[in-house]
Amino acid sequence: YCYSDKGYTTFNLKDGVSLMVSKVIKHFEAMLPPEQFIRCHQSYLINSHFIHKYYKDGQLEMRDGKKIPVSNRKREAIMQFIERLT
């Protein structure tokens, strides 16, 4: 998944490595395939292949155990996206 803060984007890779890049998350969202990556929050872009579970309180749990917030505006889109995956 990717996390954005103040014009920087941090990529959290499956092997535990984090890489910080001085570009906004929107730049990467446009580059990555929309059938695999989804923006679940203003600050987060996730790889759907690593979603473990969705919690109704508005969180996604990734395979590594990290819980990522889902914004209220994005909840319906996230639910539809997850349904297409199953």
Side-chain angles (χ1 to χ4, degrees):
Y1 63 91
C2 305
Y3 173 73
S4 182
D5 186 36
K6 300 177 185 169
Y8 290 89
T9 300
T10 302
F11 286 83
N12 295 282
L13 308 177
K14 67 181 179 180
D15 60 3
V17 173
S18 293
L19 303 170
M20 184 180 282
V21 182
S22 61
K23 290 199 181 285
V24 294
I25 201 167
K26 189 173 185 174
H27 173 80
F28 300 106
E29 182 179 18
M31 295 173 61
L32 295 168
E35 58 278 350
Q36 183 177 348
F37 290 85
I38 187 165
R39 187 88 172 258
C40 63
H41 187 276
Q42 179 181 350
S43 300
Y44 287 92
L45 178 65
I46 60 165
N47 182 336
S48 64
H49 294 169
F50 293 90
I51 296 172
H52 175 66
K53 187 174 183 179
Y54 174 75
Y55 293 95
K56 290 183 181 180
D57 68 349
Q59 293 186 78
L60 286 167
E61 183 177 333
M62 306 305 283
R63 286 189 194 164
D64 67 356
K66 169 74 175 170
K67 290 190 179 171
I68 295 178
V70 176
S71 70
N72 289 334
R73 288 182 347 178
K74 303 275 187 175
R75 282 188 188 179
E76 186 63 34
I78 292 294
M79 293 295 293
Q80 291 174 1
F81 188 84
I82 290 171
E83 285 176 12
R84 283 186 300 214
L85 295 175
T86 57

